[in-house]
Amino acid sequence: MADDNSTPKYNIATELVYLDREAVKDNYNAASVPIYQTATFKQKEADGSGGEYDYSRTGNPTRTATEAHLAKIMKAERAFVVSTGMTALDVILRLVKTGQEIITGDDLYGGTNRLLTYVSQYNGVKVHNVDTTDVAQIEQRLDPVKTRLVLLESPTNPLIKIADIRTVAERVHQLCPAALVVVDNTMMSPYLQNTLDMGVDIEYHSGTKYLSGHHDLMAGVIGCRSAQVAEQLFFVINSNGSGLGAFDCWLLLRGVKTLAIRMEKQQSNAILIAEFLEAQGLKVHYPGLKSHSRYELHKSLASGPGAVLSFETGDVALSERIVEAARLWSISVSFGCVNSLISMPCKMSHSSIPAEVRKQRQLPEDLIRLCVGIEHVDDLISDLTNALEKAGVQVKH
């Protein structure tokens, strides 16, 4: 019989739902983590000592419970929740000093590219954009003195490229011991991919996406592999006041509990939709298809291909007609919510990247991104079929 004091290890789907009792301090044993909607906490001593919490900018019991739960499922030494996904990246970038360098991808979320452009222009930080699917290109830019961060997306947004995260982390730590490897794991979520186990130093998410799942919340999540890095990030969060509010922490915690069932349904839908689009002769970017150049690599990194895919039509006007003809698929930025979304990244989520840069990075202007929801897959495919036909595509039935 197992020791009563030992902590059992459950499958990730169970861990998402199960909150460790030690993470929640509640005198009344509420079934749901209480929302401590307060800015300040009363103290017993004149010098302000003696209380675990004093000001919600620094700490709040609801945030503590949320961060402890996320640290568990991310296998992090410590986790933090902040106001948005971009805030999470901004906090991480505070670790980079003037004169230091960042190596990152040439296929990035538009907001990430915008923030990196800012630190490059105003903070004196050199940013190298390379093809992160090619480890040799990363190695060529590594500098034992100057390189501070290697920032990856895998899969990338929106071309769904796959980086060899394990190999990158290993090589960076060998060649630049002072550099940190950072991964935006939003596309996969902790349910499908755990990058800290692969040697990554910092993993972050837009909690607005899969972790929340309903697009009623803005949040960012940061998980750290070491206590030292965590302390540095906490100093920034406490100083700039970017910690997530109590009610939003509660919403995020509630969303995380249903991540497994949402992701399984969204992913199974996405696989069938990707196969349908590929059967139409369209160029589909999705790691769940064997035609993807890094299909096997992705299988070695993650337990599934996720629920975001993109495809090319070869004609911008045709893509516009398809997007506008869809009914079930809402035209919207973002991904990860329960309803399905359709967009043209170059006109929406990635429009902040200058056209000449998009061309240089081979980001197709006709690209359509699909963020698959939990609706019945037959309805989603039927709606896509109608949109394709209305746009002038001869659909194979």
Side-chain angles (χ1 to χ4, degrees):
M1 180 179 291
D3 187 345
D4 289 340
N5 294 322
S6 65
T7 302
K9 298 297 181 184
Y10 301 113
N11 291 311
I12 181 63
T14 303
E15 293 285 12
L16 289 167
V17 178
Y18 172 72
L19 270 69
D20 291 335
R21 285 172 293 180
E22 293 78 9
V24 183
K25 296 179 181 179
D26 172 37
N27 293 332
Y28 302 100
N29 296 315
S32 175
V33 172
I35 304 170
Y36 285 85
Q37 194 67 40
T38 181
T40 59
F41 297 84
K42 297 176 182 179
Q43 306 299 309
K44 294 181 180 180
E45 307 294 335
D47 62 0
S49 64
E52 184 175 352
Y53 300 96
D54 61 352
Y55 195 50
S56 279
R57 172 169 52 77
T58 302
N60 179 287
T62 312
R63 189 189 306 151
T64 297
T66 305
E67 290 177 339
H69 189 57
L70 286 163
K72 179 187 69 170
I73 65 174
M74 295 172 72
K75 300 182 181 179
E77 176 68 25
R78 189 173 178 184
F80 304 101
V81 289
V82 293
S83 56
T84 71
M86 290 311 304
T87 303
L89 179 57
D90 182 69
V91 167
I92 295 166
L93 292 180
R94 303 299 180 99
L95 300 177
V96 186
K97 299 177 181 178
T98 298
Q100 293 183 322
E101 298 182 356
I102 299 170
I103 302 171
T104 191
D106 57 4
D107 181 33
L108 293 170
Y109 166 55
T112 299
N113 186 83
R114 180 169 52 231
L115 184 54
L116 290 174
T117 299
Y118 180 89
V119 300
S120 176
Q121 292 178 346
Y122 297 101
N123 293 7
V125 173
K126 178 69 175 178
V127 178
H128 300 285
N129 295 98
V130 302
D131 180 0
T132 50
T133 67
D134 183 353
V135 180
Q137 289 194 34
I138 296 175
E139 290 183 354
Q140 288 171 8
R141 294 292 188 177
L142 288 173
D143 184 300
V145 176
K146 295 182 179 179
T147 302
R148 179 54 173 155
L149 297 183
V150 175
L151 173 61
L152 305 175
E153 289 182 9
S154 187
T156 61
N157 180 10
L159 287 176
I160 321 297
K161 297 179 180 179
I162 308 300
D164 189 344
I165 300 172
R166 283 194 186 92
T167 300
V168 170
E170 180 181 353
R171 295 299 291 155
V172 169
H173 291 143
Q174 286 175 348
L175 299 173
C176 295
L180 299 174
V181 180
V182 181
V183 173
D184 178 350
N185 198 32
T186 304
M187 191 85 78
M188 287 287 96
S189 85
Y191 179 67
L192 295 179
Q193 182 169 265
N194 188 292
T195 68
L196 298 179
D197 268 358
M198 301 178 198
V200 167
D201 299 292
I202 303 172
E203 173 181 312
Y204 75 99
H205 297 258
S206 169
T208 311
K209 313 299 193 295
Y210 288 112
L211 292 173
S212 167
H214 297 82
H215 279 187
D216 53 8
L217 165 70
M218 299 287 284
V221 176
I222 307 170
C224 304
R225 194 160 59 98
S226 77
Q228 180 183 10
V229 171
E231 280 299 320
Q232 293 175 325
L233 295 180
F234 175 71
F235 182 86
V236 175
I237 294 167
N238 185 39
S239 299
N240 67 16
S242 58
L244 195 63
F247 182 66
D248 284 343
C249 285
W250 183 85
L251 282 175
L252 179 59
L253 191 58
R254 183 177 67 167
V256 166
K257 293 178 182 180
T258 62
L259 173 60
I261 56 172
R262 287 186 283 106
M263 182 61 87
E264 287 290 352
K265 176 60 175 174
Q266 289 171 278
Q267 181 173 258
S268 64
N269 282 351
I271 292 170
L272 293 174
I273 290 165
E275 291 173 347
F276 162 75
L277 292 170
E278 190 171 58
Q280 307 309 313
L282 297 164
K283 184 177 181 180
V284 182
H285 305 275
Y286 184 60
L289 293 174
K290 291 185 178 180
S291 58
H292 193 287
S293 62
R294 295 214 147 187
Y295 173 79
E296 292 297 337
L297 173 61
H298 184 75
K299 281 182 64 177
S300 73
L301 299 173
S303 60
V308 179
L309 59 109
S310 60
F311 66 97
E312 300 173 43
T313 67
D315 183 88
V316 173
L318 175 59
S319 294
E320 290 175 346
R321 293 197 299 272
I322 293 170
V323 169
E324 292 174 357
R327 296 185 63 185
L328 281 177
W329 300 80
S330 300
I331 302 175
S332 177
V333 296
S334 201
F335 58 88
C337 64
V338 292
N339 55 295
S340 295
L341 308 176
I342 189 169
S343 67
M344 293 180 65
C346 289
K347 293 184 177 295
M348 297 179 69
S349 57
H350 293 64
S351 61
S352 62
I353 302 175
E356 63 273 14
V357 176
R358 296 198 301 264
K359 183 176 181 180
Q360 178 187 349
R361 297 180 184 176
Q362 298 181 333
L363 181 56
E365 296 291 321
D366 63 299
L367 191 72
I368 295 176
R369 190 182 72 179
L370 298 180
C371 308
V372 185
I374 66 171
E375 304 92 338
H376 197 291
V377 70
D378 290 349
D379 294 326
L380 292 174
I381 292 177
S382 176
D383 193 60
L384 277 177
T385 299
N386 291 334
L388 289 166
E389 290 178 336
K390 285 183 179 179
V393 177
Q394 187 173 355
V395 176
K396 300 173 187 175
H397 293 277

